[in-house]
Amino acid sequence: MKKISVLVMLVFSLNTFAKTNIKHPDLTTAKRAIKERQKELYGQLQAIEKNGSDYKKSEAFGKLGQFYHVHDYLEVAIQLYDEALELASKNSKWHYLKAMANKNLGKFEEVKVGLKQAWKHNSQYVPTMVHLGEIFFQEGNLEESFQAYQKVLEINPDTPVALVGIGKVLMQQGQVNSAIENYQKAIEVQPFATKINFLISQAYAANGNLEEAQKFSSRKGSVEAQVSDPLMTNLYEESRSVSYYNDKAVRAYMAKQYNNAEMLANKALKYDPQSPYPKVTLANLYLSSGRGDEAAKIIQGINAENEKDPNLKYSLGVIEEMLGNDSRAVYWYREVIKLNPEHKRASVTLSNAFMRLGSYDQAMIQLQKAKELDIENAHVLSRMASIHAYKNECSLATEKIYNAIKLQPRSFSFLLTLTKIAVHCPVEEQVVKDALNAARNMYQISQDTYVVETLAMIEAKSNNYKEAIDYQVQAIFQLLSIENSNQDSKKINELKQNLKLYKKNKYPQVLFKRNDIDMNPQSFPKLPVKL
Amino acid sequence: MLMVSLQLLAKFSDELESSGIEFKHVNGKSGKFYMPEIIGAGAAFFDYDNDGDMDLYLVQSGDLSGLNNNPNIPKDQLFRNDTKQVDKPLFTNVTEQAKLKSIGYGMGVATGDFNNDGYEDIFVANYKENQIFMNQGDGTFVVGNKALPKTDTNWSVGASVADYNKDGFLDIYVVNYVGYPILEHTKQCRASDSSLDYCAPRGYKHQSDYLYKNNGDGTFSNVSSQAGLKNVKSAGLGVVAADFNNDSFLDYYIANDGVDNHLWLNSTAGKFKENALLSGVAVNMSGEPEASMGVDAADFDNDGDIDLFMTHLNKQTNTLYVNNGKGWFSDLTMVKKLGSSSFTSTGFGTVWFDFDNDGLLDLFSANGSVAKIKSEIQLNDPYPFKQTNQIWKNVGDGVYLEISHQQGKSFLRKDVSRGAALADIDNDGDLDIVVTNNNSVPQILINKSKAYNNWIGVKLLNSKLNRIDIGAKAVVTSDTMQIQKRVRTDGSFASSRDNRLHFGLGQKTRAIDVKVKWSDGTETIYKQLELNKYHTLKRENI
């Protein structure tokens, strides 16, 4: 599977934040999804700051605060909530979230102030009083804790978390029976909050009623009385960006769960329909599931909005190649090179497309360019060697393939090409010997049909016809055992033809075909020993 | 007004520099974030030469890759107390002359006279094989090669020395943490900045503890199975022995990391029954198991029973369990004002001690994180686990007030503190603390409170047993309260404390009576003991 990558580089500097007194955390080492969400939110803030309303600005500051809050950069989050509150001091949401950030920092005085403010501006949001009740309780201010929980019960007398809270206060005050009453009410409302059983058990034990205590002592499960807290839920939801879902989509795609990947990528697009990343994920998975046209459509869409991005055009070239449209591929690769003449991969893939179209001279020109861009690239050299061999320029072919092998002595692909050149061309004896050694070495490691077949050829070229026959028979049997296509039966016939030649003490004229030239070097194993 | 008077009452100063103690704990920081590296090691105070002052044993960890006998890895050190002046601790390193040769990656230490020869011996809890050093009485120790079963190689952290079966010989309860073979270390945990970090014990195999019965001949037998401990596995870090249910038998309380704590109640036959849940000490008041690290057990409210105080991970509070006298405990952390002040720290070693001699037990907690702290990472601290230690004053009715911020620089210092060993180092009648710091030098916190309260110290020597009578109790009555204490060396984290009993007596000026209940149940009243000095009270060999 060829990988499509879209690199939309957004120039982004934290130093350009409008509020210079806020020291934004350096997230350079953070996960991509986090960095991107920071960029998104900062972008929104920048856009609104110039001419947005106070409300919108406040929301933008607050959202960025939420982002840092979730990722535990609490001091910065608090600063941003403060900015939000400066613009919208009556927004209980920011008071509440600021209090929650302070809670995580253990700054309980600030928590209390924040929660009281939040309650002042929204006295219906139950979690505010629940947290206030907890804080007072932790501080040992039982009366105030009791009152906070009472306020919750005034809104909804059946709130289990408040009933439990009051129960705990009563336990600390030694009013065990009243505590049990409250716990019992809570468990009636929330029968699966099994930890309340534990509290009842402890209360009975405190009363010396061990029998009842035993009855309630099972704490199986871990469901606790909880209160729905949409602000905090939303806080985490806020941090989930396009990247959050897209990364999940990519993981699903890598695991070949294409349906799941598609669902997640589409979910990512709901966050930001303009984001190119989930679109690329979709394109990839469409390609993998045989929906190349849809993939091309997606990338074309992105390309239309990013005219200057060579990588998108490169992706389009790859898609066209995979769809078998070599002429279209040539077009896109040329577009890539127009935008970036040093795009080495485009030169190489363009040469591949030319080869498939039979334009070997054009292919060689592109390879030459690629070589100039990266003189040490063994794959380019190997491809050049194949083209030379195809054009019967045998000494050039030999020179290039030896150069490639010098750079990567253990590459199966290069050694196979060397072997084929040795069979195909009238080469020096040493080249044949090297090729024979290489083929034998490869055989020790892999007995894939193409290796066995190549070994047979070079054995024949070395006048070892008996061995050539044995290997050829092996290759034929291997292919017969897995034959499942017309292509395989065609190949078997070809192998049988060569077998006949070996029996007559002859060896075949190797034809360099497009498939040989275009072999993907990455798919071959490496030799453990040098040639 | 209250704040001013508190400032006068509490003042600790780190006297390491002039103390003669040259010791740096080495955790071997391999870069692979092996869990033992972050657990740290403890210290012990004990009078190894019977000269009346407390000597100091500091446990070294070293290098996990070379656990045995690598001569280049630093070893445990023994420092003899040569203090001559009040508030000026002075120690001499006598490790070599004492012939102490520790092996392994050290964690905890416990002391007691294992062979009743009148000299205190040492038990060292290691990451692998533990060690016993028998005091020869001539200033040297020999390794108790055959003292412990060789097959016991769990990761031990701490121990409690006490005579659980009342046979006159001190037994050892060894608390074991988790199964953690270094060679199989593959799990990787990450900090907030994605760098490698230490993992929590979750996911590692829990271990059962060892109960070593003293055979009376210098050897110990592992009786965990017979005692009923063997099948209960956990991740223990702290242990303390006391009679929690007032039935005159010593029980053990185990502080477990992240799972329910254990209360092993001792029945007469030396069999133990785990009863933490129904005793109210398995989990906190919300039913949550906490990451318990250190533990101390004492009668903080002077009502005659043993209460418990535990230190925990940050974002959990420390926990105070108050005993109702019958072995049932209530979590009164909040009402005693110990909740919110511990929320941001990870506590390890902890001791209940009366630093100002007002008769009320105050609290100390040695703190240091086990996971990288984001704010410290942001400050580019290469070892971002450091926190400040804490001290709370008991202001009456068992209510506590944190006064760390009034202590000056010794409590402003951030470090990765682990053990806290208590002793009156300079025998001046106020209690000092040695804090061990992971991968760093210790702190010798000398109490310079100048409280002007009176006190009395007693050493309970049982002539019948020819040793300090661990488990014996003494009761004194001051003007306002009756204070009861028991002889012990355990508690805190991986550390061992001064085995003398120290009573703060406030403004009481007259000589007092001390009632001693020896470990065999007999009682002696010692009349009209002079205040502001240590007394050795002997149980005659009847």
Side-chain angles (χ1 to χ4, degrees), chain A residues 71-73 137 139-141 168 172 195 198-199 202 205 219, chain B residues 260 277 280 283 285-288 328 331 334 337 374 378:
Chain A
H71 295 292
D72 224 15
Y73 292 98
F137 183 72
E139 288 183 340
N141 294 328
K168 283 184 185 175
Q172 297 274 310
K195 275 190 183 159
F198 166 77
L199 295 173
Q202 295 286 284
R219 290 188 299 115
Chain B
D260 290 13
L277 193 61
V283 291
M285 72 175 79
S286 300
E288 301 280 357
W328 196 86
D331 175 351
M334 308 310 174
K337 310 271 185 190
K374 184 168 254 176
Q378 285 163 0

PDB file of all heavy atoms in Angstrom, chain A residues 71-73 137 139-141 168 172 195 198-199 202 205 219, chain B residues 260 277 280 283 285-288 328 331 334 337 374 378:
ATOM      1  N   HIS A  71      -5.335  19.346  29.170  1.00  0.00           N
ATOM      2  CA  HIS A  71      -3.981  18.794  29.056  1.00  0.00           C
ATOM      3  C   HIS A  71      -3.124  19.156  30.252  1.00  0.00           C
ATOM      4  O   HIS A  71      -1.898  19.063  30.198  1.00  0.00           O
ATOM      5  CB  HIS A  71      -3.355  19.236  27.738  1.00  0.00           C
ATOM      6  CG  HIS A  71      -4.093  18.655  26.562  1.00  0.00           C
ATOM      7  ND1 HIS A  71      -4.089  17.315  26.281  1.00  0.00           N
ATOM      8  CD2 HIS A  71      -4.923  19.221  25.661  1.00  0.00           C
ATOM      9  CE1 HIS A  71      -4.858  17.085  25.242  1.00  0.00           C
ATOM     10  NE2 HIS A  71      -5.385  18.221  24.848  1.00  0.00           N
ATOM     11  N   ASP A  72      -3.787  19.581  31.308  1.00  0.00           N
ATOM     12  CA  ASP A  72      -3.129  19.742  32.594  1.00  0.00           C
ATOM     13  C   ASP A  72      -2.174  20.935  32.677  1.00  0.00           C
ATOM     14  O   ASP A  72      -1.338  20.981  33.576  1.00  0.00           O
ATOM     15  CB  ASP A  72      -2.378  18.443  32.956  1.00  0.00           C
ATOM     16  CG  ASP A  72      -2.595  18.082  34.399  1.00  0.00           C
ATOM     17  OD1 ASP A  72      -3.501  18.636  35.003  1.00  0.00           O
ATOM     18  OD2 ASP A  72      -1.832  17.246  34.919  1.00  0.00           O
ATOM     19  N   TYR A  73      -2.294  21.862  31.757  1.00  0.00           N
ATOM     20  CA  TYR A  73      -1.522  23.108  31.890  1.00  0.00           C
ATOM     21  C   TYR A  73      -2.432  24.090  32.633  1.00  0.00           C
ATOM     22  O   TYR A  73      -3.021  25.006  32.057  1.00  0.00           O
ATOM     23  CB  TYR A  73      -1.103  23.645  30.521  1.00  0.00           C
ATOM     24  CG  TYR A  73      -0.090  22.753  29.836  1.00  0.00           C
ATOM     25  CD1 TYR A  73      -0.483  21.827  28.883  1.00  0.00           C
ATOM     26  CD2 TYR A  73       1.244  22.808  30.194  1.00  0.00           C
ATOM     27  CE1 TYR A  73       0.441  20.984  28.280  1.00  0.00           C
ATOM     28  CE2 TYR A  73       2.187  21.965  29.604  1.00  0.00           C
ATOM     29  CZ  TYR A  73       1.770  21.063  28.646  1.00  0.00           C
ATOM     30  OH  TYR A  73       2.697  20.232  28.064  1.00  0.00           O
ATOM     31  N   PHE A 137     -16.126  19.941  53.002  1.00  0.00           N
ATOM     32  CA  PHE A 137     -15.981  18.682  53.736  1.00  0.00           C
ATOM     33  C   PHE A 137     -14.501  18.345  53.925  1.00  0.00           C
ATOM     34  O   PHE A 137     -14.070  17.993  55.018  1.00  0.00           O
ATOM     35  CB  PHE A 137     -16.698  17.569  52.969  1.00  0.00           C
ATOM     36  CG  PHE A 137     -16.665  16.251  53.676  1.00  0.00           C
ATOM     37  CD1 PHE A 137     -17.429  16.039  54.810  1.00  0.00           C
ATOM     38  CD2 PHE A 137     -15.866  15.211  53.217  1.00  0.00           C
ATOM     39  CE1 PHE A 137     -17.401  14.833  55.474  1.00  0.00           C
ATOM     40  CE2 PHE A 137     -15.832  13.991  53.880  1.00  0.00           C
ATOM     41  CZ  PHE A 137     -16.605  13.809  55.013  1.00  0.00           C
ATOM     42  N   GLU A 139     -12.104  20.311  54.037  1.00  0.00           N
ATOM     43  CA  GLU A 139     -11.494  21.250  54.984  1.00  0.00           C
ATOM     44  C   GLU A 139     -11.985  21.020  56.410  1.00  0.00           C
ATOM     45  O   GLU A 139     -11.513  21.667  57.341  1.00  0.00           O
ATOM     46  CB  GLU A 139     -11.847  22.684  54.586  1.00  0.00           C
ATOM     47  CG  GLU A 139     -11.128  23.134  53.335  1.00  0.00           C
ATOM     48  CD  GLU A 139     -11.451  24.578  53.003  1.00  0.00           C
ATOM     49  OE1 GLU A 139     -12.477  25.094  53.489  1.00  0.00           O
ATOM     50  OE2 GLU A 139     -10.673  25.176  52.269  1.00  0.00           O
ATOM     51  N   GLY A 140     -12.957  20.159  56.535  1.00  0.00           N
ATOM     52  CA  GLY A 140     -13.504  19.908  57.864  1.00  0.00           C
ATOM     53  C   GLY A 140     -14.567  20.912  58.271  1.00  0.00           C
ATOM     54  O   GLY A 140     -14.991  20.940  59.432  1.00  0.00           O
ATOM     55  N   ASN A 141     -14.997  21.763  57.330  1.00  0.00           N
ATOM     56  CA  ASN A 141     -16.079  22.712  57.628  1.00  0.00           C
ATOM     57  C   ASN A 141     -17.412  22.016  57.390  1.00  0.00           C
ATOM     58  O   ASN A 141     -18.051  22.175  56.344  1.00  0.00           O
ATOM     59  CB  ASN A 141     -15.976  23.956  56.736  1.00  0.00           C
ATOM     60  CG  ASN A 141     -14.735  24.752  57.057  1.00  0.00           C
ATOM     61  OD1 ASN A 141     -14.306  24.780  58.201  1.00  0.00           O
ATOM     62  ND2 ASN A 141     -14.152  25.378  56.056  1.00  0.00           N
ATOM     63  N   LYS A 168     -22.106  11.609  54.792  1.00  0.00           N
ATOM     64  CA  LYS A 168     -20.709  11.636  55.264  1.00  0.00           C
ATOM     65  C   LYS A 168     -20.518  12.703  56.342  1.00  0.00           C
ATOM     66  O   LYS A 168     -19.813  12.478  57.328  1.00  0.00           O
ATOM     67  CB  LYS A 168     -19.781  11.927  54.089  1.00  0.00           C
ATOM     68  CG  LYS A 168     -19.548  10.741  53.175  1.00  0.00           C
ATOM     69  CD  LYS A 168     -18.540  11.163  52.126  1.00  0.00           C
ATOM     70  CE  LYS A 168     -18.298  10.139  51.071  1.00  0.00           C
ATOM     71  NZ  LYS A 168     -17.420  10.648  50.025  1.00  0.00           N
ATOM     72  N   GLN A 172     -19.335  12.104  60.279  1.00  0.00           N
ATOM     73  CA  GLN A 172     -18.238  12.800  60.964  1.00  0.00           C
ATOM     74  C   GLN A 172     -18.737  13.471  62.240  1.00  0.00           C
ATOM     75  O   GLN A 172     -17.993  13.646  63.189  1.00  0.00           O
ATOM     76  CB  GLN A 172     -17.630  13.861  60.037  1.00  0.00           C
ATOM     77  CG  GLN A 172     -16.985  13.293  58.783  1.00  0.00           C
ATOM     78  CD  GLN A 172     -15.536  12.880  58.979  1.00  0.00           C
ATOM     79  OE1 GLN A 172     -14.728  13.621  59.494  1.00  0.00           O
ATOM     80  NE2 GLN A 172     -15.212  11.678  58.562  1.00  0.00           N
ATOM     81  N   LYS A 195     -20.993   1.550  45.902  1.00  0.00           N
ATOM     82  CA  LYS A 195     -20.146   2.025  46.998  1.00  0.00           C
ATOM     83  C   LYS A 195     -20.977   2.585  48.144  1.00  0.00           C
ATOM     84  O   LYS A 195     -20.508   2.685  49.266  1.00  0.00           O
ATOM     85  CB  LYS A 195     -19.164   3.064  46.492  1.00  0.00           C
ATOM     86  CG  LYS A 195     -17.947   2.387  45.928  1.00  0.00           C
ATOM     87  CD  LYS A 195     -16.850   3.313  45.639  1.00  0.00           C
ATOM     88  CE  LYS A 195     -15.731   2.511  45.001  1.00  0.00           C
ATOM     89  NZ  LYS A 195     -14.838   3.331  44.246  1.00  0.00           N
ATOM     90  N   PHE A 198     -21.205   0.190  50.770  1.00  0.00           N
ATOM     91  CA  PHE A 198     -20.044   0.200  51.658  1.00  0.00           C
ATOM     92  C   PHE A 198     -20.239   1.233  52.768  1.00  0.00           C
ATOM     93  O   PHE A 198     -19.977   0.967  53.935  1.00  0.00           O
ATOM     94  CB  PHE A 198     -18.774   0.506  50.857  1.00  0.00           C
ATOM     95  CG  PHE A 198     -17.612   0.868  51.716  1.00  0.00           C
ATOM     96  CD1 PHE A 198     -16.915  -0.106  52.396  1.00  0.00           C
ATOM     97  CD2 PHE A 198     -17.227   2.187  51.871  1.00  0.00           C
ATOM     98  CE1 PHE A 198     -15.857   0.231  53.208  1.00  0.00           C
ATOM     99  CE2 PHE A 198     -16.175   2.535  52.678  1.00  0.00           C
ATOM    100  CZ  PHE A 198     -15.486   1.556  53.360  1.00  0.00           C
ATOM    101  N   LEU A 199     -20.712   2.413  52.385  1.00  0.00           N
ATOM    102  CA  LEU A 199     -20.888   3.468  53.378  1.00  0.00           C
ATOM    103  C   LEU A 199     -21.925   3.055  54.429  1.00  0.00           C
ATOM    104  O   LEU A 199     -21.745   3.291  55.624  1.00  0.00           O
ATOM    105  CB  LEU A 199     -21.329   4.770  52.693  1.00  0.00           C
ATOM    106  CG  LEU A 199     -20.298   5.393  51.739  1.00  0.00           C
ATOM    107  CD1 LEU A 199     -20.898   6.568  50.978  1.00  0.00           C
ATOM    108  CD2 LEU A 199     -19.063   5.857  52.498  1.00  0.00           C
ATOM    109  N   GLN A 202     -20.263   0.620  56.739  1.00  0.00           N
ATOM    110  CA  GLN A 202     -19.375   1.274  57.713  1.00  0.00           C
ATOM    111  C   GLN A 202     -20.200   1.961  58.806  1.00  0.00           C
ATOM    112  O   GLN A 202     -19.823   1.952  59.977  1.00  0.00           O
ATOM    113  CB  GLN A 202     -18.498   2.305  57.004  1.00  0.00           C
ATOM    114  CG  GLN A 202     -17.521   1.703  56.006  1.00  0.00           C
ATOM    115  CD  GLN A 202     -16.345   1.009  56.668  1.00  0.00           C
ATOM    116  OE1 GLN A 202     -15.437   1.647  57.161  1.00  0.00           O
ATOM    117  NE2 GLN A 202     -16.366  -0.303  56.683  1.00  0.00           N
ATOM    118  N   ALA A 205     -21.395  -0.621  61.149  1.00  0.00           N
ATOM    119  CA  ALA A 205     -20.270  -1.092  61.973  1.00  0.00           C
ATOM    120  C   ALA A 205     -19.975  -0.070  63.060  1.00  0.00           C
ATOM    121  O   ALA A 205     -19.678  -0.430  64.207  1.00  0.00           O
ATOM    122  CB  ALA A 205     -19.045  -1.329  61.098  1.00  0.00           C
ATOM    123  N   ARG A 219     -18.662  -4.777  48.287  1.00  0.00           N
ATOM    124  CA  ARG A 219     -18.428  -3.570  47.496  1.00  0.00           C
ATOM    125  C   ARG A 219     -18.156  -3.943  46.049  1.00  0.00           C
ATOM    126  O   ARG A 219     -17.400  -3.294  45.352  1.00  0.00           O
ATOM    127  CB  ARG A 219     -17.246  -2.788  48.060  1.00  0.00           C
ATOM    128  CG  ARG A 219     -17.541  -2.141  49.378  1.00  0.00           C
ATOM    129  CD  ARG A 219     -16.422  -1.221  49.788  1.00  0.00           C
ATOM    130  NE  ARG A 219     -15.189  -1.961  49.931  1.00  0.00           N
ATOM    131  CZ  ARG A 219     -14.125  -1.781  49.179  1.00  0.00           C
ATOM    132  NH1 ARG A 219     -14.149  -0.908  48.209  1.00  0.00           N
ATOM    133  NH2 ARG A 219     -13.030  -2.479  49.375  1.00  0.00           N
TER     134      ARG A 219
ATOM    135  N   ASP B 260      -6.829  -2.186  48.909  1.00  0.00           N
ATOM    136  CA  ASP B 260      -7.266  -2.168  50.309  1.00  0.00           C
ATOM    137  C   ASP B 260      -6.093  -2.432  51.266  1.00  0.00           C
ATOM    138  O   ASP B 260      -5.264  -3.312  51.017  1.00  0.00           O
ATOM    139  CB  ASP B 260      -8.319  -3.271  50.550  1.00  0.00           C
ATOM    140  CG  ASP B 260      -9.645  -2.953  49.868  1.00  0.00           C
ATOM    141  OD1 ASP B 260      -9.679  -2.036  49.034  1.00  0.00           O
ATOM    142  OD2 ASP B 260     -10.626  -3.644  50.187  1.00  0.00           O
ATOM    143  N   LEU B 277     -11.597  -4.374  56.445  1.00  0.00           N
ATOM    144  CA  LEU B 277     -12.822  -3.771  55.910  1.00  0.00           C
ATOM    145  C   LEU B 277     -13.850  -3.540  57.014  1.00  0.00           C
ATOM    146  O   LEU B 277     -14.387  -2.446  57.159  1.00  0.00           O
ATOM    147  CB  LEU B 277     -13.398  -4.654  54.799  1.00  0.00           C
ATOM    148  CG  LEU B 277     -14.479  -3.988  53.963  1.00  0.00           C
ATOM    149  CD1 LEU B 277     -13.947  -2.754  53.249  1.00  0.00           C
ATOM    150  CD2 LEU B 277     -15.038  -4.963  52.947  1.00  0.00           C
ATOM    151  N   GLY B 280     -13.005  -0.832  59.380  1.00  0.00           N
ATOM    152  CA  GLY B 280     -13.063   0.540  58.863  1.00  0.00           C
ATOM    153  C   GLY B 280     -11.736   1.112  58.444  1.00  0.00           C
ATOM    154  O   GLY B 280     -11.599   2.328  58.299  1.00  0.00           O
ATOM    155  N   VAL B 283     -10.205   1.029  53.456  1.00  0.00           N
ATOM    156  CA  VAL B 283     -10.366   2.064  52.437  1.00  0.00           C
ATOM    157  C   VAL B 283     -10.799   3.354  53.130  1.00  0.00           C
ATOM    158  O   VAL B 283     -11.145   3.347  54.306  1.00  0.00           O
ATOM    159  CB  VAL B 283     -11.431   1.644  51.398  1.00  0.00           C
ATOM    160  CG1 VAL B 283     -10.949   0.480  50.548  1.00  0.00           C
ATOM    161  CG2 VAL B 283     -12.733   1.260  52.094  1.00  0.00           C
ATOM    162  N   MET B 285     -13.103   6.947  53.650  1.00  0.00           N
ATOM    163  CA  MET B 285     -14.521   7.077  53.983  1.00  0.00           C
ATOM    164  C   MET B 285     -15.444   6.989  52.770  1.00  0.00           C
ATOM    165  O   MET B 285     -16.641   6.772  52.910  1.00  0.00           O
ATOM    166  CB  MET B 285     -14.768   8.397  54.704  1.00  0.00           C
ATOM    167  CG  MET B 285     -14.664   9.594  53.795  1.00  0.00           C
ATOM    168  SD  MET B 285     -15.101  11.101  54.629  1.00  0.00           S
ATOM    169  CE  MET B 285     -13.621  11.416  55.537  1.00  0.00           C
ATOM    170  N   SER B 286     -14.863   7.162  51.585  1.00  0.00           N
ATOM    171  CA  SER B 286     -15.689   7.038  50.387  1.00  0.00           C
ATOM    172  C   SER B 286     -15.669   5.627  49.831  1.00  0.00           C
ATOM    173  O   SER B 286     -16.206   5.372  48.756  1.00  0.00           O
ATOM    174  CB  SER B 286     -15.193   8.003  49.316  1.00  0.00           C
ATOM    175  OG  SER B 286     -15.269   9.310  49.792  1.00  0.00           O
ATOM    176  N   GLY B 287     -15.000   4.744  50.524  1.00  0.00           N
ATOM    177  CA  GLY B 287     -14.905   3.381  50.033  1.00  0.00           C
ATOM    178  C   GLY B 287     -13.824   3.198  48.996  1.00  0.00           C
ATOM    179  O   GLY B 287     -13.778   2.186  48.307  1.00  0.00           O
ATOM    180  N   GLU B 288     -12.942   4.186  48.890  1.00  0.00           N
ATOM    181  CA  GLU B 288     -11.884   4.114  47.878  1.00  0.00           C
ATOM    182  C   GLU B 288     -10.602   3.580  48.491  1.00  0.00           C
ATOM    183  O   GLU B 288     -10.121   4.137  49.483  1.00  0.00           O
ATOM    184  CB  GLU B 288     -11.553   5.523  47.353  1.00  0.00           C
ATOM    185  CG  GLU B 288     -12.700   6.252  46.724  1.00  0.00           C
ATOM    186  CD  GLU B 288     -12.958   5.804  45.305  1.00  0.00           C
ATOM    187  OE1 GLU B 288     -12.184   4.967  44.814  1.00  0.00           O
ATOM    188  OE2 GLU B 288     -13.937   6.280  44.707  1.00  0.00           O
ATOM    189  N   TRP B 328     -12.661  -0.556  66.151  1.00  0.00           N
ATOM    190  CA  TRP B 328     -13.407  -0.056  64.997  1.00  0.00           C
ATOM    191  C   TRP B 328     -13.000   1.397  64.759  1.00  0.00           C
ATOM    192  O   TRP B 328     -12.931   2.209  65.682  1.00  0.00           O
ATOM    193  CB  TRP B 328     -14.925  -0.149  65.201  1.00  0.00           C
ATOM    194  CG  TRP B 328     -15.578  -0.007  63.861  1.00  0.00           C
ATOM    195  CD1 TRP B 328     -15.815  -1.002  62.971  1.00  0.00           C
ATOM    196  CD2 TRP B 328     -15.966   1.207  63.230  1.00  0.00           C
ATOM    197  NE1 TRP B 328     -16.342  -0.494  61.816  1.00  0.00           N
ATOM    198  CE2 TRP B 328     -16.448   0.857  61.935  1.00  0.00           C
ATOM    199  CE3 TRP B 328     -15.958   2.547  63.602  1.00  0.00           C
ATOM    200  CZ2 TRP B 328     -16.919   1.806  61.035  1.00  0.00           C
ATOM    201  CZ3 TRP B 328     -16.425   3.486  62.701  1.00  0.00           C
ATOM    202  CH2 TRP B 328     -16.902   3.117  61.430  1.00  0.00           C
ATOM    203  N   ASP B 331     -12.917   7.166  59.731  1.00  0.00           N
ATOM    204  CA  ASP B 331     -12.042   8.060  58.969  1.00  0.00           C
ATOM    205  C   ASP B 331     -12.449   9.497  59.322  1.00  0.00           C
ATOM    206  O   ASP B 331     -13.473   9.995  58.852  1.00  0.00           O
ATOM    207  CB  ASP B 331     -12.236   7.772  57.472  1.00  0.00           C
ATOM    208  CG  ASP B 331     -11.462   8.734  56.587  1.00  0.00           C
ATOM    209  OD1 ASP B 331     -10.914   9.715  57.114  1.00  0.00           O
ATOM    210  OD2 ASP B 331     -11.421   8.503  55.362  1.00  0.00           O
ATOM    211  N   MET B 334     -11.174  14.602  57.594  1.00  0.00           N
ATOM    212  CA  MET B 334     -11.676  15.935  57.287  1.00  0.00           C
ATOM    213  C   MET B 334     -11.969  16.731  58.548  1.00  0.00           C
ATOM    214  O   MET B 334     -11.577  17.884  58.668  1.00  0.00           O
ATOM    215  CB  MET B 334     -12.930  15.828  56.422  1.00  0.00           C
ATOM    216  CG  MET B 334     -12.766  14.968  55.192  1.00  0.00           C
ATOM    217  SD  MET B 334     -11.302  15.411  54.242  1.00  0.00           S
ATOM    218  CE  MET B 334     -11.328  14.124  53.005  1.00  0.00           C
ATOM    219  N   LYS B 337      -9.158  18.210  60.105  1.00  0.00           N
ATOM    220  CA  LYS B 337      -8.499  19.208  59.244  1.00  0.00           C
ATOM    221  C   LYS B 337      -7.196  18.701  58.611  1.00  0.00           C
ATOM    222  O   LYS B 337      -6.230  19.444  58.466  1.00  0.00           O
ATOM    223  CB  LYS B 337      -8.212  20.489  60.036  1.00  0.00           C
ATOM    224  CG  LYS B 337      -9.389  21.029  60.810  1.00  0.00           C
ATOM    225  CD  LYS B 337     -10.208  21.969  59.977  1.00  0.00           C
ATOM    226  CE  LYS B 337     -11.308  22.607  60.802  1.00  0.00           C
ATOM    227  NZ  LYS B 337     -12.268  23.346  60.013  1.00  0.00           N
ATOM    228  N   LYS B 374       4.410  17.914  36.495  1.00  0.00           N
ATOM    229  CA  LYS B 374       4.405  18.768  35.301  1.00  0.00           C
ATOM    230  C   LYS B 374       5.095  20.107  35.539  1.00  0.00           C
ATOM    231  O   LYS B 374       5.916  20.552  34.743  1.00  0.00           O
ATOM    232  CB  LYS B 374       2.963  18.998  34.844  1.00  0.00           C
ATOM    233  CG  LYS B 374       2.873  19.776  33.565  1.00  0.00           C
ATOM    234  CD  LYS B 374       1.500  19.736  32.984  1.00  0.00           C
ATOM    235  CE  LYS B 374       1.449  18.832  31.800  1.00  0.00           C
ATOM    236  NZ  LYS B 374       0.168  18.652  31.208  1.00  0.00           N
ATOM    237  N   GLN B 378       8.364  21.635  33.621  1.00  0.00           N
ATOM    238  CA  GLN B 378       8.383  22.930  32.938  1.00  0.00           C
ATOM    239  C   GLN B 378       9.524  23.810  33.430  1.00  0.00           C
ATOM    240  O   GLN B 378       9.996  24.689  32.721  1.00  0.00           O
ATOM    241  CB  GLN B 378       7.034  23.632  33.117  1.00  0.00           C
ATOM    242  CG  GLN B 378       5.953  23.001  32.246  1.00  0.00           C
ATOM    243  CD  GLN B 378       4.542  23.366  32.668  1.00  0.00           C
ATOM    244  OE1 GLN B 378       4.335  24.085  33.617  1.00  0.00           O
ATOM    245  NE2 GLN B 378       3.562  22.850  31.945  1.00  0.00           N
TER     246      GLN B 378
END
